[in-house]
Amino acid sequence: MKNIIFYKYPKTLMNKGTGFLSGYSHSLNPYTGCTFGCSYCYVRQMPVSTFSKEEWGTWINIKMGAAELLQKELTRAKKKGKVTIFMSSSTDPYQPIELKEEVTRSLLKVVVENQPDFLFVQTRSPLVHRDIDLLLGLKDRVRVSMTIETDREDIRKHFTPNAPPISARLRTLKLLADAGVPTQATIAPVLPSTEAFPNELVKVTNRVCVDDYFMGDGSGGRRTNNLGISLMYEELGLAKWYNPTAYRVVYDRLRKVFAEDQVYLSQKGFLP
Ligand code: SF4
């Protein structure tokens, strides 16, 4: 299906970090909307989606003039104190349209020239590798967090059919780490996975964050419940994985391979 694309000039770009992101001074979204359209995306329940006539995952709003706006806002914010930025909270900065539009790349150029104290890049896309030159310019002021919810491709296709394959994400993390970019694998939300999952992760990163709907959807799991995600587990005969204690299975498996200070839980894994 063809996506609906809008081009708009935003009035503001950086937003105050609040709630789950209260450890950050700002969040930064290069786009509104996200064509990965993951089934469990909590943004589906937020005004940006519920006020839209189009279904979440089918439309995207490209922010025009974003780099110029960021330059002004960043300069102003840095005069007021420490600036830590989470990119992105309600879109994926490296969704497919970024290959052509390069909004995220234009923002990274600004950030490299006028560096904040820290930038956290959250994505599930191998496209982030394109910007390795810029990410290296931020040295230890950046971390790229790659969402990898499972090692099972059948599970990935069931919950996120439009997202990139797991193998490509693992490869990207390795490329970033080998180049010297600080990374993290983010198992969020925890999806059913195999016992071998930690062995795959340890080959490509030295840090993992585990989060689930109940800790991390900003409503104790209520938003996810409203989306009817439990049915998707039942369809697979894997209802036991839709449970506030299921993350423990993955956490304990990880701890057999990773040290305690390499495995983070929920919000702690996203802090600057
Ligand atoms: S990539 Fe992130 S923002 Fe985009 S649909 Fe999936 S969960 Fe939502």
Side-chain angles (χ1 to χ4, degrees):
M1 191 173 53
K2 215 165 172 338
N3 294 313
I4 305 159
I5 301 172
F6 304 100
Y7 291 86
K8 290 190 183 160
Y9 283 89
K11 290 199 178 73
T12 58
L13 206 59
M14 291 164 75
N15 288 311
K16 193 172 162 9
T18 55
F20 196 81
L21 297 182
S22 51
Y24 285 84
S25 67
H26 296 86
S27 65
L28 176 62
N29 289 285
Y31 300 94
T32 312
C34 183
T35 56
F36 283 145
C38 308
S39 59
Y40 54 68
C41 181
Y42 67 87
V43 187
R44 286 173 184 273
Q45 294 275 306
M46 298 175 92
V48 63
S49 173
T50 53
F51 288 167
S52 168
K53 279 190 251 140
E54 313 299 337
E55 196 191 331
W56 180 253
T58 67
W59 57 274
I60 182 135
N61 178 356
I62 293 156
K63 296 187 180 178
M64 305 290 289
E68 294 77 12
L69 197 49
L70 180 63
Q71 176 67 357
K72 281 188 207 142
E73 291 184 359
L74 193 51
T75 303
R76 212 179 305 139
K78 281 174 70 174
K79 282 184 189 150
K80 291 186 186 161
K82 208 169 167 185
V83 177
T84 50
I85 302 174
F86 189 96
M87 179 176 83
S88 299
S89 55
S90 59
T91 189
D92 192 310
Y94 288 100
Q95 59 189 294
I97 197 102
E98 168 62 17
L99 183 62
K100 169 171 165 268
E101 296 294 340
E102 298 195 4
V103 179
T104 300
R105 185 164 173 83
S106 74
L107 298 182
L108 273 184
K109 283 182 186 163
V110 171
V111 167
V112 170
E113 284 303 308
N114 189 6
Q115 301 204 356
D117 293 276
F118 188 70
L119 172 72
F120 192 92
V121 179
Q122 180 66 52
T123 182
R124 66 185 62 218
S125 171
L127 180 56
V128 62
H129 177 248
R130 179 200 62 191
D131 291 346
I132 216 160
D133 56 331
L134 296 171
L135 293 165
L136 283 171
L138 289 164
K139 299 199 169 73
D140 60 354
R141 292 181 178 213
V142 71
R143 182 172 302 281
V144 174
S145 167
M146 179 71 75
T147 302
I148 308 180
E149 320 94 306
T150 173
D151 58 340
R152 286 182 54 181
E153 193 59 10
D154 60 329
I155 297 285
R156 195 277 301 161
K157 282 184 184 155
H158 184 71
F159 289 93
T160 65
N162 297 325
I166 299 297
S167 56
R169 298 189 222 174
L170 289 166
R171 263 198 313 277
T172 304
L173 264 186
K174 174 110 175 59
L175 287 167
L176 290 169
D178 286 351
V181 177
T183 64
Q184 154 172 312
T186 299
I187 308 174
V190 164
L191 293 180
S193 59
T194 76
E195 280 192 37
F197 190 17
N199 300 321
E200 293 304 311
L201 294 176
V202 80
K203 290 182 210 158
V204 299
T205 189
N206 58 6
R207 181 177 152 132
V208 183
C209 169
V210 181
D211 202 2
D212 69 5
Y213 310 120
F214 309 96
M215 296 183 278
D217 81 347
S219 69
R222 188 175 37 80
R223 281 183 183 142
T224 310
N225 203 33
N226 291 344
L227 291 171
I229 292 300
S230 60
L231 288 176
M232 298 190 76
Y233 287 77
E234 285 166 25
E235 280 165 16
L236 297 169
L238 291 169
K240 65 174 188 211
W241 281 87
Y242 187 74
N243 180 305
T245 61
Y247 81 87
R248 220 38 246 196
V249 174
V250 177
Y251 182 85
D252 291 346
R253 286 175 181 169
L254 286 164
R255 285 287 289 106
K256 287 183 189 155
V257 178
F258 288 90
E260 191 171 3
D261 64 356
Q262 293 180 306
V263 186
Y264 292 77
L265 266 187
S266 194
Q267 195 174 15
K268 285 199 179 125
F270 297 95
L271 289 175

